[in-house]
Amino acid sequence: MIPDPNPDVLLALVERFSELAERRLATPARTTAAATRARQLRDHLETYIAPRARDIDAPLVVVLLGPTGAGKSSLFNALAGRAASQVGVLRPTTRDVVVLLHPDDRAALFADGTFRGLRAADVRVVEDPAVASGLALVDAPDVDSIEHGNRILADRLAEAADLGIFVTTATRYADQVPWDVLGRVRDRGLPLLVVVNRLPPDDGSRREVIDDLTRLLASRGVRLETGSAELIGVAEGALDPAIDGVDPRAIAPLLARVEALRRDRAARRALATRALAGAVAGLPPLAESVADDLDHEAIDSDALRRSADAAFDNSLRDVRQQLRRGTFLRQETLRNWQAFVGADQITRLFATGIGRARGLVAQLVHGTPAAPIAQVRESTTSDILSLARQHASDASQRSAMSWSENPLIAEKLAARGELWSESSGFDARLEERLNAWLASIATDVRATGAPKRTLARGASAGVNAVGVAVMVATFAHTGGLTGAEVGVAAATAFLNQKLLSALFGEAAMVEMIQRAGARLDAALAETFAEERARFTSLLADTTGLRELAHDLRIISAEVRAEPWQHAETGDASR
């Protein structure tokens, strides 16, 4: 025996689905279709399913559905025992929603419950203290109304119902539009009763219509509520003018079913639970479609991220290669610095050997021509800045061009014209890091020279001059240079090496230059990472997207595994 659904289990599932749906909406979808599916999942949960799950004892909602002219309003009046719904002759016949209920049920349905999302202008409420509380009877707009809003409203009521009564006629039961609605009723597992109006008078013809409709229902996977009221035929002309509706005697089994639900709270609760289970069972297909959307967005985001990564990584690599080759250094800068480090006094020190640290410091501070410290620092940093700016701009342009070909991100890109070049604060940020880099070289010179007392007593000009020598040594060598440049760069590199080696020793000199190069690499990498982040910030976190897709599939699998999935009205695999 298949167990009945447990309301507490259903509530827990609904709350988990709702949390996942909200997480999905927090990440903007990349396509209109994906955004629509995300909203449908959230709205379906919060508007229809969650109110019932949170209050399984709320008034039962019985909705009459059917095509134009099928006799819904006439049947509604028969069930109400009065002319509560206007019977019309023009399409669309039912122009608004008519709700018959006990006055005590109104707040539970409209304030916080099933009907809270309905516009007051679309609803006419008929309060009747004479009917028992606990059940609301609803006459929905025609499912094939020529007014689009009416069809949407009918669909919403079908989603909100705990029991559906499908009303058709002997001549219209095979129309396509009503069957589209029945397909949605089937997918959400809504308990359903069927009334066929205007059957022919002879038994043979009546039986033929009933049998054919039963066959169609079975072939479409629509399962009816069990009991004597599951499919009722009403003969042509079986009307009661006093109530402007169907003769109550013709629908006696249906009246008995509705009255039994009104009288029996346990029966209402059981039906509401089955309807809720059917609605929950209908969630996995939509949830899995949303999960597919998330996976596709993650794949697209990864591809876009890889494109930006490649553009900025390649540009940063090119900058580093040009810096290592020294091709960006101006000949004038190299010549000026060569003139300083190649002064006669320092050359003599190189030739005779350095025996005294004080003598060397004195030569650096007092005995040589004034070191062109500011000029070399300014020209070198401005050249680094210009080189980096050009490559950052190129990387931005390549990324923007590549991304603009992707319709999922092109709209965002079009609204961010600044992404087609380097950012407005690029120069200021990199210049600040280059100044910090130069300061770090001076700090390193002091720390490296302090143990030997070589520079411990030197003036700041000596430290700064040696710092610039380290900076130039980081770049200036013959790799990549040709012609006259080779001589200038080679001489400068040689003299820098001799000077620094004499001051610190071979090993310490190499380590200091390597540390300076590493810190410059880090400063450039940080700056280029900021430029790249302008693009990647437009993308969702793909790890989060995939985790959410996984969670949606997990809960969908749990719903499919529930034993009540195979109950008569709750099999979502139909």
Side-chain angles (χ1 to χ4, degrees):
M1 180 179 178
I2 297 175
D4 290 334
N6 184 320
D8 292 334
V9 172
L10 293 172
L11 175 59
L13 288 169
V14 169
E15 288 180 339
R16 285 173 59 196
F17 266 119
S18 294
E19 186 269 332
L20 294 174
E22 291 295 343
R23 279 172 55 191
R24 173 52 177 131
L25 283 181
T27 303
R30 293 292 179 80
T31 66
T32 301
T36 298
R37 283 187 285 270
R39 286 194 302 271
Q40 283 177 340
L41 181 62
R42 194 278 308 273
D43 292 349
H44 183 51
L45 281 159
E46 289 306 309
T47 304
Y48 310 119
I49 299 180
R52 172 55 72 194
R54 292 166 186 152
D55 188 2
I56 203 69
D57 291 309
L60 200 73
V61 177
V62 180
V63 177
L64 277 64
L65 301 163
T68 303
K72 283 190 298 79
S73 297
S74 296
L75 180 63
F76 183 90
N77 289 340
L79 293 171
R82 56 190 286 185
S85 185
Q86 183 178 1
V87 178
V89 294
L90 297 177
R91 301 183 70 207
T93 306
T94 303
R95 296 176 182 271
D96 53 13
V97 180
V98 182
V99 181
L100 175 69
L101 47 70
H102 189 280
D104 294 345
D105 292 338
R106 182 166 188 158
L109 287 171
F110 284 92
D112 301 310
T114 302
F115 298 147
R116 64 179 179 176
L118 297 181
R119 296 189 311 161
D122 293 331
V123 182
R124 183 164 63 87
V125 179
V126 179
E127 295 184 358
D128 189 350
V131 302
S133 62
L135 185 148
L137 188 65
V138 182
D139 186 10
D142 303 321
V143 297
D144 60 347
S145 172
I146 59 175
E147 293 187 12
H148 180 70
N150 282 355
R151 297 197 302 274
I152 296 297
L153 193 53
D155 281 348
R156 292 180 60 186
L157 290 168
E159 295 290 341
D162 298 300
L163 174 65
I165 300 176
F166 181 65
V167 185
T168 186
T169 69
T171 58
R172 302 202 58 190
Y173 67 86
D175 288 358
Q176 183 58 45
V177 173
W179 280 100
D180 291 341
V181 175
L182 285 177
R184 292 192 287 277
V185 166
R186 172 204 62 205
D187 291 341
R188 67 140 294 188
L190 176 67
L192 188 70
L193 305 175
V194 175
V195 175
V196 187
N197 272 324
R198 305 183 191 124
L199 286 173
D202 61 288
D203 290 342
S205 297
R206 290 166 59 117
R207 188 73 261 164
E208 184 178 344
V209 171
I210 295 294
D211 288 347
D212 191 41
L213 177 55
T214 302
R215 177 189 61 79
L216 286 173
L217 290 167
S219 68
R220 305 291 182 91
V222 179
R223 298 187 179 184
L224 303 180
E225 268 286 90
T226 56
S228 60
E230 64 179 14
L231 200 157
I232 297 173
V234 179
E236 178 75 45
L239 301 172
D240 183 350
I243 59 171
D244 199 14
V246 175
D247 187 343
R249 292 171 297 182
I251 56 167
L254 181 58
L255 284 171
R257 175 69 171 139
V258 171
E259 287 305 313
L261 289 171
R262 281 196 171 116
R263 292 193 304 269
D264 189 342
R265 176 179 175 274
R268 293 197 303 271
R269 181 183 177 89
L271 180 59
T273 302
R274 291 203 307 277
L276 175 60
V280 172
L283 289 173
L286 180 55
E288 288 162 348
S289 293
V290 172
D292 290 342
D293 292 334
L294 290 163
D295 280 340
H296 292 150
E297 289 175 18
I299 292 170
D300 289 338
S301 291
D302 281 343
L304 291 169
R305 184 173 279 105
R306 285 194 299 271
S307 172
D309 286 347
F312 283 95
D313 287 346
N314 291 339
S315 287
L316 179 58
R317 182 197 61 211
D318 291 344
V319 170
R320 285 169 170 163
Q321 288 177 347
Q322 291 191 49
L323 291 178
R324 291 189 183 100
R325 290 197 299 264
T327 55
F328 76 101
L329 288 174
R330 305 174 195 174
Q331 287 192 49
E332 179 185 0
T333 301
L334 292 173
R335 291 184 188 279
N336 288 340
W337 190 249
Q338 180 189 355
F340 168 64
V341 297
D344 290 343
Q345 295 94 326
I346 294 179
T347 303
R348 285 196 298 272
L349 287 172
F350 293 157
T352 60
I354 301 176
R356 298 178 182 179
R358 287 187 182 180
L360 178 60
V361 171
Q363 293 294 335
L364 279 173
V365 176
H366 302 294
T368 63
I373 296 171
Q375 177 193 6
V376 175
R377 286 179 58 162
E378 182 179 352
S379 63
T380 302
T381 54
S382 66
D383 286 351
I384 295 174
L385 189 61
S386 177
L387 179 68
R389 183 196 311 117
Q390 175 188 340
H391 282 79
S393 181
D394 289 345
S396 297
Q397 188 173 43
R398 288 198 302 272
S399 296
M401 290 181 65
S402 174
W403 283 33
S404 65
E405 296 174 0
N406 189 316
L408 302 181
I409 199 69
E411 185 175 347
K412 283 187 177 181
L413 197 64
R416 299 280 300 274
E418 72 277 10
L419 292 177
W420 289 79
S421 63
E422 80 279 2
S423 63
S424 59
F426 181 87
D427 283 12
R429 293 194 309 275
L430 182 54
E431 186 173 11
E432 182 179 356
R433 291 184 178 119
L434 291 176
N435 289 333
W437 170 63
L438 292 171
S440 74
I441 292 177
T443 300
D444 202 7
V445 166
R446 289 191 182 93
T448 303
K452 302 176 184 179
R453 299 182 177 273
T454 305
L455 295 175
R457 301 172 186 174
S460 61
V463 173
N464 289 336
V466 175
V468 171
V470 173
M471 179 185 74
V472 174
T474 305
F475 310 115
H477 51 79
T478 59
L481 300 181
T482 60
E485 293 177 320
V486 174
V488 176
T492 305
F494 171 78
L495 291 171
N496 261 297
Q497 180 179 352
K498 284 294 185 180
L499 173 61
L500 295 172
S501 180
L503 284 169
F504 304 106
E506 185 79 21
M509 174 196 71
V510 170
E511 290 179 2
M512 192 159 48
I513 293 172
Q514 287 176 341
R515 287 194 296 270
R519 289 193 297 271
L520 179 59
D521 275 353
L524 291 168
E526 185 177 4
T527 305
F528 273 66
E530 291 169 345
E531 296 299 291
R532 172 172 30 205
R534 297 185 301 150
F535 289 85
T536 56
S537 64
L538 301 178
L539 304 175
D541 172 26
T542 55
T543 300
L545 293 177
R546 290 190 170 93
E547 287 177 352
L548 180 52
H550 173 75
D551 292 345
L552 284 166
R553 292 192 177 99
I554 287 294
I555 193 173
S556 296
E558 290 178 17
V559 169
R560 294 185 190 281
E562 286 288 342
W564 42 261
Q565 272 282 41
H566 307 289
E568 185 173 8
T569 60
D571 186 357
S573 65
R574 294 190 299 266

